[in-house]
Amino acid sequence: MELSANAKINLTLDILRRREDGYHDLQMVMQSVTLADALTLTPAQGEEGCAASNLHFLPTGGKNLTQMAAAAFRAAAGAGGEVDVSIQKHIPVCAGLAGGSADAAAVLRAMNALTGAGLSLARLAEIGARVGSDVPFCVLGGAALAEGRGERLTPLPGLPLCHIVICKPPFSVSTPQLFSRVNVRKIVRRPDTAGVIAALNAGDLTGVARRMYNVFEDVLDRRRYGEIASIKAALIDCGALGASMSGSGPSVFGLFPRLEDAQAAQERLLGSYRDVFLCAPAEKNV
Ligand code: ATP
């Protein structure tokens, strides 16, 4: 079975409070995009399934998120056998684009179809929450408000037709380190989450773009902050209505009403960066 696994971007990312259990309560507006990995699922050749990909450093056994998803599905649905997963990664890894979660979500949906288990997307999302906090959103796709650790989802209308340029600079950001740097009481700048939701409901691309923000941008160290800021400035300079960092970074995206401007932005950023993608909002899964 051939599958496509869509990446996501964060139109907003806000941290509301630190919880007693050490996790943070988040509020994020997420949108899936057409940048996607291509997966092929086949019955396992050996006793246990494995995951092969074009990236040598990804785990190939039970630690690959696709195998974790397959195991979670078997345990919850009481159906399905071991599967081999072949992954053509196009979504950069550790980029704030939920690439691994997208692959896991695609496997959950595929196993549901292959076994005829007939679980609802909501149930698959529940199962996915055991694999990773972005998996439930990736099961649903489209756009949604994600709360809690990201598992409480409220579907939203997706972005109106637009072009999205995503640029991943060549450094990684440690998510636990970012969380440890956030002092919730001292967050100065926050996204206008309610305003973004209202703009999505109204189909107002400019309204969304003007209100986007990611609170993690403010806790990056000076060098990384500078690089993120300069990518955002380049996107805006080329005609993006707004630009923001996605998830825990370091990917930055811009929203463009005009394809030619998005193409020009991609070309300009490709002068300095290898991972620059031109894509569009993706529809919700059915
Ligand atoms: P998020 O936006 O959800 O925080 P991310 O984009 O920062 O995700 P991922 O690309 O999803 O990060 O991968 C994070 C980790 O998961 C990596 O350390 C990687 O080795 C591991 N991993 C396991 N399986 C996969 C997979 N199928 N694809 C990508 N990464 C995987």
Side-chain angles (χ1 to χ4, degrees):
M1 189 179 208
E2 313 264 311
L3 321 161
S4 169
N6 296 105
K8 64 87 184 157
I9 53 173
N10 285 80
L11 301 177
T12 69
L13 191 155
D14 200 2
I15 303 176
L16 302 186
R17 65 189 71 81
R18 189 169 194 279
R19 308 191 319 201
E20 305 257 302
D21 62 8
Y23 289 108
H24 289 81
D25 270 330
L26 307 175
Q27 195 174 48
M28 307 180 279
V29 177
M30 315 225 264
Q31 167 74 57
S32 55
V33 296
T34 54
L35 170 64
D37 292 341
L39 280 66
T40 310
L41 235 72
T42 46
Q45 301 259 301
E47 266 179 31
E48 287 183 1
C50 65
S53 80
N54 53 323
L55 300 180
H56 65 89
F57 54 85
L58 287 185
T60 54
K63 288 219 165 101
N64 192 288
L65 291 162
T66 57
Q67 291 300 333
M68 289 170 69
F73 181 86
R74 286 191 296 268
E82 294 281 337
V83 284
D84 286 341
V85 186
S86 160
I87 314 168
Q88 189 66 35
K89 289 292 297 179
H90 299 292
I91 308 172
V93 176
C94 291
L97 300 172
S101 304
D103 296 349
V107 167
L108 289 174
R109 294 176 57 234
M111 290 196 65
N112 195 35
L114 287 170
T115 58
L119 303 185
S120 66
L121 285 186
R123 176 73 186 118
L124 289 178
E126 240 172 71
I127 300 170
R130 288 172 223 161
V131 180
S133 36
D134 283 339
V135 181
F137 171 76
C138 293
V139 167
L140 266 55
L145 173 69
E147 295 175 288
R149 289 175 60 192
E151 76 290 355
R152 273 196 351 255
L153 296 169
T154 309
L156 295 169
L159 277 174
L161 193 66
C162 65
H163 310 281
I164 303 170
V165 175
I166 301 175
C167 173
K168 189 196 95 65
F171 56 78
S172 58
V173 180
S174 147
T175 311
Q177 209 178 76
L178 278 188
F179 273 114
S180 72
R181 288 211 197 123
V182 172
N183 181 338
V184 179
R185 275 184 228 107
K186 289 196 177 148
I187 295 176
V188 183
R189 185 162 176 212
R190 292 180 181 274
D192 176 4
T193 307
V196 166
I197 293 172
L200 283 173
N201 279 313
D204 171 12
L205 183 64
T206 308
V208 173
R210 297 251 160 91
R211 294 174 172 86
M212 302 188 303
Y213 196 65
N214 179 336
V215 297
F216 278 140
E217 289 181 38
D218 283 339
V219 294
L220 292 170
D221 61 62
R222 191 184 280 258
R223 182 180 68 78
R224 291 190 170 93
Y225 181 86
E227 192 150 353
I228 299 297
S230 89
I231 297 170
K232 284 169 68 169
L235 290 163
I236 302 281
D237 192 43
C238 288
L241 294 173
S244 187
M245 189 171 85
S246 184
S248 50
S251 299
V252 180
F253 67 91
L255 303 183
F256 293 81
R258 286 163 40 95
L259 178 60
E260 312 84 85
D261 291 347
Q263 286 167 332
Q266 182 186 30
E267 206 160 300
R268 174 157 155 195
L269 287 164
L270 278 171
S272 312
Y273 299 100
R274 196 194 56 183
D275 292 327
V276 188
F277 310 93
L278 175 52
C279 57
E283 295 289 319
K284 67 172 188 267
N285 295 317
V286 283

